[in-house]
């Protein structure tokens, strides 16, 4: 059951971090950012659910640490992937 809660927490963590990233005005994954208020509410709700699920397998302080560390990791990936894809598309001079 612990693995199930952890996997579900990671899925909600990814969804929450993704929603918060897509609501940012300077995101480059989509052509235009999603509507800010509803997307941020969905992202925050997913983060809260993720925290509650992490809380099932770890203590409160550890759950906050896991949530924030995983969120920072998931927020770091899209800009790196986008920059890498842009570099591959442009011809080398």
């Amino acid at each position: 059951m612990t693995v199930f809660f952890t996997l579900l927490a990671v899925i909600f963590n990814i969804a929450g971090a993704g929603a918060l990233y897509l609501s940012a005005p300077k995101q480059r994954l989509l052509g235009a950012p999603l509507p800010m208020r509803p997307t941020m509410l969905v992202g925050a709700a997913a983060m809260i659910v993720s925290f509650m699920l992490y809380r099932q397998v770890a203590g409160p302080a550890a759950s906050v640490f896991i949530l924030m560390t995983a969120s920072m990791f998931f927020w770091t990936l899209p800009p790196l992937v986008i920059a890498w894809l842009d570099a591959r598309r442009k011809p080398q001079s």
Side-chain angles (χ1 to χ4, degrees), residues 73-84:
F73 174 72
F74 298 133
W75 282 323
T76 303
L77 289 179
L80 291 174
V81 171
I82 292 166
W84 180 68

Side-chain angles (χ1 to χ4, degrees), residues 1-17 43-74:
M1 198 63 146
T2 303
V3 174
F4 175 72
F5 283 136
T6 305
L7 183 61
L8 206 54
V10 170
I11 290 169
F12 273 99
N13 200 176
I14 292 170
M47 292 292 215
I48 291 169
V49 170
S50 178
F51 171 74
M52 300 298 257
L53 290 166
Y54 283 133
R55 190 68 183 86
Q56 298 295 316
V57 295
S63 297
V64 170
F65 178 77
I66 294 167
L67 180 70
M68 291 296 107
T69 303
S71 297
M72 287 187 290
F73 174 72
F74 298 133

Side-chain angles (χ1 to χ4, degrees), residues 9-45:
V10 170
I11 290 169
F12 273 99
N13 200 176
I14 292 170
L20 292 174
Y21 176 78
L22 291 175
S23 70
K26 300 226 182 222
Q27 62 86 18
R28 294 185 46 206
L29 198 58
L30 303 176
L34 296 176
M36 188 174 281
R37 185 177 297 270
T39 310
M40 287 185 83
L41 287 174
V42 168

